[in-house]
């Protein structure tokens, strides 16, 4: 008798699962439309924000910045040699988010090997290679800010190449 009750419970659970399964299947059928809408929302318009002037920069002396808004800290660097994404007369000026892509700890710059380093779980990112991760727990490279320099030497950030930590979109 006891066994039969357990069988009944099992049947009820199975049926409940079946209903959820049917609901899941129904949800799956509407997914394409939902994801198409999400794709549209993922396109963002980046602001053009002045960060500094070329005259403010010295090789290996990081300048604190924020982009695309005050809640997204970053760093502006002059590396002294041409690098990917580098702008300016020497192609050596770059900017990165300093929020670690792993869990958002603040990165610090090491001029010795031109890396940004995480004190949380020791991820390292190469500033001479577009923010490529070279070690650690993070699962993406460091977001690099796209820069433009005008005729007066003013440096503007105008885009980001990876998702900034903690965001569903780079622009709030
Ligand atoms: Fe940077 Fe974990 S928060 S490696």
């Amino acid at each position: 008798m006891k066994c039969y009750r357990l069988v009944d419970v099992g049947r009820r659970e199975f049926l409940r699962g079946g209903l959820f399964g049917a609901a899941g299947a129904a949800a799956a059928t509407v997914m394409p439309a939902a994801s198409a809408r999400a794709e549209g929302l993922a396109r963002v318009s980046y602001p053009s924000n002045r960060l500094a002037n070329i005259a403010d920069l010295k090789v290996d002396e990081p300048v604190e910045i924020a982009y695309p808004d005050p809640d997204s800290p970053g760093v502006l660097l002059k590396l002294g040699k041409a690098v990917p994404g580098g702008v300016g007369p020497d192609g050596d000026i770059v900017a990165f988010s300093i929020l670690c892509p792993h869990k958002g700890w603040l990165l610090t710059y090491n001029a010795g090997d031109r890396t940004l380093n995480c004190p949380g779980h020791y991820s390292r990112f190469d500033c001479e290679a577009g923010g490529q991760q070279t070690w650690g727990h993070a699962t993406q490279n460091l977001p690099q800010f796209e820069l433009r320099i005008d005729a007066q030497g003013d440096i503007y950030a105008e885009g980001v190449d990876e998702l900034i930590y903690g965001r569903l979109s780079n622009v709030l």
Side-chain angles (χ1 to χ4, degrees), residues 4-89:
Y4 288 123
R5 278 194 199 132
L6 283 177
V7 168
D8 284 346
V9 169
R11 278 191 191 126
R12 280 198 300 273
E13 291 303 317
F14 177 78
L15 289 172
R16 197 176 300 157
L19 286 175
F20 286 141
T29 59
V30 299
M31 280 299 286
S35 61
R37 197 170 59 239
E39 254 176 47
L41 292 174
R43 286 190 212 104
V44 295
S45 298
Y46 289 107
S48 178
N49 292 0
R50 183 185 179 279
L51 304 178
N53 187 278
I54 285 186
D56 302 328
L57 301 181
K58 294 191 175 69
V59 173
D60 284 332
E61 291 188 13
V63 173
E64 289 182 16
I65 58 166
Y67 185 80
D69 54 58
D71 295 327
S72 174
V75 66
L76 182 63
L77 292 162
K78 181 174 174 60
L79 297 175
K81 71 177 217 184
V83 293
V87 298

Side-chain angles (χ1 to χ4, degrees), residues 62-151:
V63 173
E64 289 182 16
I65 58 166
Y67 185 80
D69 54 58
D71 295 327
S72 174
V75 66
L76 182 63
L77 292 162
K78 181 174 174 60
L79 297 175
K81 71 177 217 184
V83 293
V87 298
D90 303 320
D92 65 341
I93 298 171
V94 288
F96 297 95
S97 167
I98 56 165
L99 290 177
C100 180
H102 180 223
K103 289 194 173 179
W105 287 56
L106 289 175
L107 307 174
T108 56
Y109 182 62
N110 179 345
D113 60 4
R114 306 251 168 81
T115 57
L116 283 159
N117 295 264
C118 181
H121 314 97
Y122 313 115
S123 285
R124 296 162 56 81
F125 304 90
D126 188 344
C127 298
E128 293 181 334
Q132 185 173 27
Q133 182 184 350
T134 58
W135 179 260
H137 287 38
T139 55
Q140 71 169 56
N141 297 329
L142 198 57
Q144 183 169 12
F145 300 150
E146 289 170 23
L147 302 178
R148 174 180 65 84
I149 300 185
D150 71 10

